Amino acid sequence: MEHIKKTYTTHTPEETAHLAQTIAAVLKPHDVVLLKGELGAGKSTFARAVIRALCGEHTEVPSPTFTLVQTYEMPKSVLWHFDLYRLEHSEEIYELGIEEAYSNGVCLIEWPERLGPYLPKEYLEIEVSYGAHENERILCLKGWTDRLS
């Protein structure tokens, strides 16, 4: 699998959501998307747009900051949304069901740095950072971006 890098600049939350929907359209079971970035940069907003694109626009998407993981039923799979900000030890990821998530679902993982040595072999990494203007975001994608046109 080719690992290339693409960078996108979005100027509004709607443009960021549109990019998230584009990525959601190419996701399939066993895919893992790692969402990196500073606190408040927009990782959860991006994840919500992916979840709603795959599970329905009216899907309630609470932040998994306190539960650490939320699951959502999709037509042919399960979507796992991990927020590992509060994870104290990388080994705790097994208590959250990461093995099951890797084997049968689509995973969105915020704060993947907390996984330590437990990163999957293949993934799409998206680093979200602030741009020069208020709502501008820079999204740097690394991994299987060859699926994106």
Side-chain angles (χ1 to χ4, degrees):
M1 185 171 295
E2 187 177 341
H3 291 272
I4 55 178
K5 180 177 174 179
K6 290 186 179 185
T7 302
Y8 298 88
T9 301
T10 62
H11 301 91
T12 65
E14 293 79 18
E15 285 182 15
T16 303
H18 181 69
L19 178 59
Q21 293 162 356
T22 300
I23 291 168
V26 300
L27 291 176
K28 56 188 178 189
H30 309 289
D31 279 346
V32 177
V33 178
L34 306 179
L35 296 167
K36 296 174 122 182
E38 295 178 43
L39 195 61
K43 298 177 299 295
S44 292
T45 300
F46 190 91
R48 270 190 196 93
V50 169
I51 293 165
R52 289 185 175 138
L54 293 172
C55 302
E57 184 59 37
H58 299 292
T59 302
E60 185 177 333
V61 185
S63 172
T65 300
F66 294 102
T67 59
L68 302 180
V69 64
Q70 295 285 337
T71 58
Y72 302 89
E73 293 296 322
M74 297 187 312
K76 296 182 181 181
S77 187
V78 176
L79 190 149
W80 298 70
H81 181 198
F82 293 90
D83 184 331
L84 305 180
Y85 183 73
R86 294 184 29 224
L87 197 71
E88 293 185 24
H89 304 286
S90 57
E91 295 80 22
E92 293 174 300
I93 194 65
Y94 288 103
E95 296 171 23
L96 301 176
I98 195 73
E99 291 174 303
E100 183 180 351
Y102 284 165
S103 69
N104 76 1
V106 171
C107 296
L108 300 174
I109 304 175
E110 296 183 53
W111 301 98
E113 303 86 356
R114 304 267 200 295
L115 285 172
Y118 304 111
L119 280 171
K121 291 181 181 176
E122 295 292 332
Y123 52 82
L124 174 66
E125 177 183 292
I126 302 173
E127 186 158 356
V128 183
S129 58
Y130 294 100
H133 305 287
E134 182 180 351
N135 289 319
E136 188 176 81
R137 295 295 183 266
I138 312 299
L139 296 102
C140 182
L141 284 63
K142 293 184 242 178
W144 39 261
T145 57
D146 54 322
R147 292 194 216 168
L148 305 170
S149 52

Short mmCIF file of all heavy atoms in Angstrom, two decimals, residues 1-44:
data_model
loop_
_atom_site.label_atom_id
_atom_site.label_comp_id
_atom_site.label_asym_id
_atom_site.label_seq_id
_atom_site.Cartn_x
_atom_site.Cartn_y
_atom_site.Cartn_z
N MET A 1 0.85 -1.18 0.00
CA MET A 1 0.00 0.00 0.00
C MET A 1 0.89 1.24 0.00
O MET A 1 1.81 1.36 0.79
CB MET A 1 -0.90 -0.01 1.24
CG MET A 1 -1.90 1.10 1.26
SD MET A 1 -3.10 0.91 2.60
CE MET A 1 -3.92 -0.56 2.06
N GLU A 2 0.61 2.14 -0.88
CA GLU A 2 1.42 3.35 -1.01
C GLU A 2 1.08 4.34 0.10
O GLU A 2 -0.07 4.58 0.40
CB GLU A 2 1.12 3.98 -2.38
CG GLU A 2 2.01 5.13 -2.70
CD GLU A 2 1.75 5.68 -4.08
OE1 GLU A 2 1.15 4.97 -4.90
OE2 GLU A 2 2.13 6.82 -4.31
N HIS A 3 2.11 4.89 0.70
CA HIS A 3 1.92 5.88 1.75
C HIS A 3 2.36 7.23 1.23
O HIS A 3 3.55 7.51 1.11
CB HIS A 3 2.71 5.50 3.01
CG HIS A 3 2.15 4.30 3.67
ND1 HIS A 3 1.16 4.39 4.61
CD2 HIS A 3 2.41 3.00 3.52
CE1 HIS A 3 0.85 3.18 5.02
NE2 HIS A 3 1.59 2.32 4.38
N ILE A 4 1.40 8.04 0.89
CA ILE A 4 1.70 9.36 0.39
C ILE A 4 1.08 10.40 1.31
O ILE A 4 0.35 10.07 2.22
CB ILE A 4 1.20 9.53 -1.07
CG1 ILE A 4 -0.28 9.20 -1.18
CG2 ILE A 4 2.01 8.67 -2.01
CD1 ILE A 4 -0.86 9.38 -2.56
N LYS A 5 1.41 11.63 1.07
CA LYS A 5 0.96 12.71 1.93
C LYS A 5 0.21 13.73 1.09
O LYS A 5 0.63 14.07 -0.01
CB LYS A 5 2.19 13.35 2.58
CG LYS A 5 1.91 14.48 3.50
CD LYS A 5 3.24 14.93 4.10
CE LYS A 5 3.06 16.16 4.94
NZ LYS A 5 4.31 16.59 5.55
N LYS A 6 -0.92 14.18 1.61
CA LYS A 6 -1.71 15.23 0.97
C LYS A 6 -2.07 16.25 2.03
O LYS A 6 -2.34 15.88 3.17
CB LYS A 6 -2.99 14.68 0.35
CG LYS A 6 -2.79 13.83 -0.87
CD LYS A 6 -4.12 13.46 -1.50
CE LYS A 6 -3.87 12.61 -2.74
NZ LYS A 6 -5.10 12.33 -3.46
N THR A 7 -2.10 17.51 1.64
CA THR A 7 -2.47 18.56 2.57
C THR A 7 -3.65 19.33 2.00
O THR A 7 -3.67 19.66 0.81
CB THR A 7 -1.29 19.52 2.81
OG1 THR A 7 -0.20 18.76 3.32
CG2 THR A 7 -1.64 20.60 3.81
N TYR A 8 -4.63 19.58 2.86
CA TYR A 8 -5.82 20.33 2.49
C TYR A 8 -5.96 21.52 3.44
O TYR A 8 -5.67 21.40 4.63
CB TYR A 8 -7.08 19.47 2.62
CG TYR A 8 -7.09 18.26 1.72
CD1 TYR A 8 -6.51 17.06 2.13
CD2 TYR A 8 -7.67 18.31 0.45
CE1 TYR A 8 -6.52 15.95 1.30
CE2 TYR A 8 -7.67 17.19 -0.38
CZ TYR A 8 -7.09 16.02 0.06
OH TYR A 8 -7.09 14.92 -0.75
N THR A 9 -6.41 22.63 2.91
CA THR A 9 -6.73 23.79 3.73
C THR A 9 -8.22 24.04 3.61
O THR A 9 -8.75 24.13 2.50
CB THR A 9 -5.96 25.04 3.25
OG1 THR A 9 -4.56 24.77 3.33
CG2 THR A 9 -6.29 26.25 4.11
N THR A 10 -8.90 24.10 4.75
CA THR A 10 -10.32 24.41 4.75
C THR A 10 -10.49 25.76 5.42
O THR A 10 -9.72 26.13 6.31
CB THR A 10 -11.14 23.33 5.47
OG1 THR A 10 -10.74 23.25 6.83
CG2 THR A 10 -10.97 21.97 4.79
N HIS A 11 -11.50 26.50 4.97
CA HIS A 11 -11.69 27.87 5.46
C HIS A 11 -12.92 28.03 6.35
O HIS A 11 -13.10 29.07 6.98
CB HIS A 11 -11.76 28.83 4.28
CG HIS A 11 -10.50 28.79 3.46
ND1 HIS A 11 -10.35 27.94 2.38
CD2 HIS A 11 -9.33 29.45 3.60
CE1 HIS A 11 -9.14 28.10 1.88
NE2 HIS A 11 -8.50 29.00 2.60
N THR A 12 -13.75 26.99 6.38
CA THR A 12 -14.97 27.04 7.20
C THR A 12 -15.20 25.65 7.80
O THR A 12 -14.70 24.65 7.27
CB THR A 12 -16.21 27.40 6.35
OG1 THR A 12 -16.44 26.34 5.40
CG2 THR A 12 -16.04 28.73 5.63
N PRO A 13 -15.97 25.58 8.87
CA PRO A 13 -16.32 24.27 9.42
C PRO A 13 -17.04 23.40 8.37
O PRO A 13 -16.87 22.18 8.36
CB PRO A 13 -17.22 24.59 10.60
CG PRO A 13 -16.81 25.97 11.02
CD PRO A 13 -16.44 26.68 9.73
N GLU A 14 -17.81 24.02 7.51
CA GLU A 14 -18.54 23.26 6.48
C GLU A 14 -17.56 22.61 5.49
O GLU A 14 -17.77 21.48 5.05
CB GLU A 14 -19.53 24.17 5.73
CG GLU A 14 -20.68 24.66 6.60
CD GLU A 14 -20.32 25.82 7.53
OE1 GLU A 14 -19.30 26.50 7.30
OE2 GLU A 14 -21.05 26.02 8.52
N GLU A 15 -16.50 23.32 5.12
CA GLU A 15 -15.50 22.74 4.23
C GLU A 15 -14.78 21.58 4.91
O GLU A 15 -14.47 20.57 4.27
CB GLU A 15 -14.47 23.80 3.81
CG GLU A 15 -14.98 24.77 2.78
CD GLU A 15 -13.90 25.77 2.35
OE1 GLU A 15 -12.70 25.55 2.62
OE2 GLU A 15 -14.28 26.79 1.75
N THR A 16 -14.50 21.73 6.20
CA THR A 16 -13.86 20.64 6.95
C THR A 16 -14.78 19.43 6.98
O THR A 16 -14.35 18.29 6.76
CB THR A 16 -13.50 21.11 8.37
OG1 THR A 16 -12.65 22.25 8.27
CG2 THR A 16 -12.80 20.01 9.15
N ALA A 17 -16.07 19.65 7.23
CA ALA A 17 -17.05 18.56 7.24
C ALA A 17 -17.13 17.90 5.86
O ALA A 17 -17.25 16.67 5.77
CB ALA A 17 -18.42 19.06 7.68
N HIS A 18 -17.05 18.69 4.81
CA HIS A 18 -17.11 18.13 3.45
C HIS A 18 -15.89 17.21 3.21
O HIS A 18 -16.04 16.12 2.63
CB HIS A 18 -17.17 19.25 2.41
CG HIS A 18 -17.24 18.73 1.01
ND1 HIS A 18 -18.34 18.08 0.52
CD2 HIS A 18 -16.32 18.75 0.01
CE1 HIS A 18 -18.11 17.72 -0.74
NE2 HIS A 18 -16.89 18.11 -1.06
N LEU A 19 -14.72 17.62 3.64
CA LEU A 19 -13.54 16.76 3.51
C LEU A 19 -13.74 15.47 4.31
O LEU A 19 -13.42 14.38 3.84
CB LEU A 19 -12.28 17.50 3.96
CG LEU A 19 -10.99 16.68 3.91
CD1 LEU A 19 -10.69 16.18 2.50
CD2 LEU A 19 -9.83 17.51 4.44
N ALA A 20 -14.29 15.59 5.51
CA ALA A 20 -14.56 14.41 6.34
C ALA A 20 -15.53 13.46 5.62
O ALA A 20 -15.35 12.24 5.64
CB ALA A 20 -15.13 14.82 7.69
N GLN A 21 -16.55 14.00 4.96
CA GLN A 21 -17.51 13.19 4.22
C GLN A 21 -16.84 12.49 3.04
O GLN A 21 -17.15 11.34 2.73
CB GLN A 21 -18.67 14.05 3.75
CG GLN A 21 -19.53 14.56 4.88
CD GLN A 21 -20.40 15.74 4.49
OE1 GLN A 21 -20.34 16.26 3.38
NE2 GLN A 21 -21.22 16.20 5.44
N THR A 22 -15.90 13.17 2.39
CA THR A 22 -15.16 12.57 1.28
C THR A 22 -14.34 11.38 1.77
O THR A 22 -14.31 10.33 1.12
CB THR A 22 -14.23 13.62 0.64
OG1 THR A 22 -15.02 14.71 0.16
CG2 THR A 22 -13.42 13.04 -0.50
N ILE A 23 -13.72 11.53 2.92
CA ILE A 23 -12.95 10.43 3.49
C ILE A 23 -13.87 9.31 3.94
O ILE A 23 -13.60 8.13 3.71
CB ILE A 23 -12.05 10.95 4.62
CG1 ILE A 23 -10.95 11.83 4.02
CG2 ILE A 23 -11.46 9.80 5.44
CD1 ILE A 23 -10.17 12.63 4.99
N ALA A 24 -15.00 9.65 4.54
CA ALA A 24 -15.96 8.64 4.98
C ALA A 24 -16.41 7.77 3.81
O ALA A 24 -16.62 6.56 3.97
CB ALA A 24 -17.16 9.31 5.64
N ALA A 25 -16.54 8.35 2.65
CA ALA A 25 -17.04 7.63 1.47
C ALA A 25 -16.10 6.50 1.04
O ALA A 25 -16.53 5.56 0.36
CB ALA A 25 -17.26 8.60 0.32
N VAL A 26 -14.83 6.56 1.41
CA VAL A 26 -13.89 5.52 0.99
C VAL A 26 -13.52 4.57 2.13
O VAL A 26 -12.72 3.66 1.93
CB VAL A 26 -12.61 6.12 0.36
CG1 VAL A 26 -12.95 6.95 -0.86
CG2 VAL A 26 -11.81 6.91 1.37
N LEU A 27 -14.09 4.76 3.30
CA LEU A 27 -13.76 3.89 4.43
C LEU A 27 -14.43 2.54 4.29
O LEU A 27 -15.54 2.42 3.78
CB LEU A 27 -14.19 4.54 5.75
CG LEU A 27 -13.40 5.76 6.17
CD1 LEU A 27 -13.99 6.36 7.45
CD2 LEU A 27 -11.93 5.43 6.36
N LYS A 28 -13.75 1.51 4.77
CA LYS A 28 -14.28 0.15 4.74
C LYS A 28 -13.86 -0.57 6.02
O LYS A 28 -12.97 -0.09 6.73
CB LYS A 28 -13.80 -0.57 3.48
CG LYS A 28 -12.31 -0.61 3.33
CD LYS A 28 -11.90 -1.15 1.98
CE LYS A 28 -10.38 -1.12 1.88
NZ LYS A 28 -9.90 -1.43 0.58
N PRO A 29 -14.51 -1.70 6.34
CA PRO A 29 -14.14 -2.42 7.56
C PRO A 29 -12.64 -2.67 7.63
O PRO A 29 -11.99 -2.90 6.62
CB PRO A 29 -14.92 -3.72 7.44
CG PRO A 29 -16.13 -3.34 6.64
CD PRO A 29 -15.60 -2.34 5.63
N HIS A 30 -12.10 -2.58 8.82
CA HIS A 30 -10.68 -2.74 9.15
C HIS A 30 -9.87 -1.46 8.94
O HIS A 30 -8.67 -1.46 9.22
CB HIS A 30 -10.03 -3.91 8.41
CG HIS A 30 -10.78 -5.19 8.52
ND1 HIS A 30 -10.86 -5.91 9.70
CD2 HIS A 30 -11.53 -5.85 7.62
CE1 HIS A 30 -11.61 -6.97 9.50
NE2 HIS A 30 -12.03 -6.97 8.25
N ASP A 31 -10.49 -0.41 8.46
CA ASP A 31 -9.77 0.86 8.30
C ASP A 31 -9.62 1.55 9.65
O ASP A 31 -10.53 1.52 10.48
CB ASP A 31 -10.50 1.81 7.35
CG ASP A 31 -10.24 1.48 5.89
OD1 ASP A 31 -9.30 0.71 5.59
OD2 ASP A 31 -10.98 2.00 5.02
N VAL A 32 -8.48 2.19 9.83
CA VAL A 32 -8.20 2.95 11.03
C VAL A 32 -7.78 4.35 10.61
O VAL A 32 -6.89 4.51 9.77
CB VAL A 32 -7.08 2.29 11.87
CG1 VAL A 32 -6.74 3.14 13.09
CG2 VAL A 32 -7.48 0.88 12.28
N VAL A 33 -8.44 5.34 11.20
CA VAL A 33 -8.09 6.74 10.94
C VAL A 33 -7.61 7.33 12.26
O VAL A 33 -8.33 7.32 13.26
CB VAL A 33 -9.31 7.53 10.41
CG1 VAL A 33 -8.93 9.00 10.21
CG2 VAL A 33 -9.83 6.92 9.11
N LEU A 34 -6.39 7.81 12.25
CA LEU A 34 -5.80 8.44 13.43
C LEU A 34 -5.96 9.95 13.30
O LEU A 34 -5.56 10.53 12.29
CB LEU A 34 -4.31 8.10 13.53
CG LEU A 34 -3.94 6.62 13.50
CD1 LEU A 34 -2.42 6.46 13.59
CD2 LEU A 34 -4.64 5.85 14.60
N LEU A 35 -6.52 10.57 14.31
CA LEU A 35 -6.75 12.02 14.30
C LEU A 35 -5.83 12.67 15.32
O LEU A 35 -5.98 12.47 16.53
CB LEU A 35 -8.21 12.33 14.62
CG LEU A 35 -9.20 11.80 13.59
CD1 LEU A 35 -10.62 11.87 14.13
CD2 LEU A 35 -9.08 12.58 12.30
N LYS A 36 -4.87 13.44 14.81
CA LYS A 36 -3.90 14.11 15.66
C LYS A 36 -4.13 15.62 15.62
O LYS A 36 -4.69 16.12 14.66
CB LYS A 36 -2.48 13.81 15.17
CG LYS A 36 -2.09 12.35 15.27
CD LYS A 36 -0.75 12.14 14.64
CE LYS A 36 0.19 11.54 15.64
NZ LYS A 36 1.55 11.37 15.06
N GLY A 37 -3.64 16.30 16.62
CA GLY A 37 -3.72 17.76 16.63
C GLY A 37 -3.87 18.30 18.04
O GLY A 37 -4.17 17.55 18.97
N GLU A 38 -3.67 19.59 18.14
CA GLU A 38 -3.78 20.25 19.43
C GLU A 38 -5.21 20.16 19.98
O GLU A 38 -6.16 19.97 19.22
CB GLU A 38 -3.44 21.74 19.30
CG GLU A 38 -2.02 22.03 18.92
CD GLU A 38 -1.80 23.52 18.77
OE1 GLU A 38 -2.30 24.29 19.61
OE2 GLU A 38 -1.14 23.90 17.80
N LEU A 39 -5.32 20.36 21.27
CA LEU A 39 -6.62 20.43 21.92
C LEU A 39 -7.45 21.54 21.27
O LEU A 39 -6.96 22.66 21.10
CB LEU A 39 -6.42 20.71 23.41
CG LEU A 39 -7.60 20.49 24.34
CD1 LEU A 39 -8.03 19.03 24.30
CD2 LEU A 39 -7.22 20.87 25.76
N GLY A 40 -8.65 21.22 20.83
CA GLY A 40 -9.53 22.21 20.22
C GLY A 40 -9.32 22.48 18.75
O GLY A 40 -10.00 23.30 18.15
N ALA A 41 -8.40 21.77 18.12
CA ALA A 41 -8.10 22.01 16.70
C ALA A 41 -9.22 21.55 15.77
O ALA A 41 -9.32 22.02 14.65
CB ALA A 41 -6.78 21.35 16.30
N GLY A 42 -10.03 20.59 16.21
CA GLY A 42 -11.13 20.14 15.37
C GLY A 42 -11.18 18.65 15.12
O GLY A 42 -11.90 18.19 14.23
N LYS A 43 -10.46 17.86 15.90
CA LYS A 43 -10.47 16.41 15.71
C LYS A 43 -11.86 15.83 15.92
O LYS A 43 -12.35 15.04 15.11
CB LYS A 43 -9.47 15.74 16.66
CG LYS A 43 -8.03 16.14 16.44
CD LYS A 43 -7.08 15.50 17.43
CE LYS A 43 -7.35 15.87 18.86
NZ LYS A 43 -7.16 17.28 19.22
N SER A 44 -12.52 16.23 17.01
CA SER A 44 -13.86 15.70 17.30
C SER A 44 -14.88 16.18 16.28
O SER A 44 -15.78 15.43 15.89
CB SER A 44 -14.31 16.10 18.71
OG SER A 44 -13.53 15.43 19.68
#
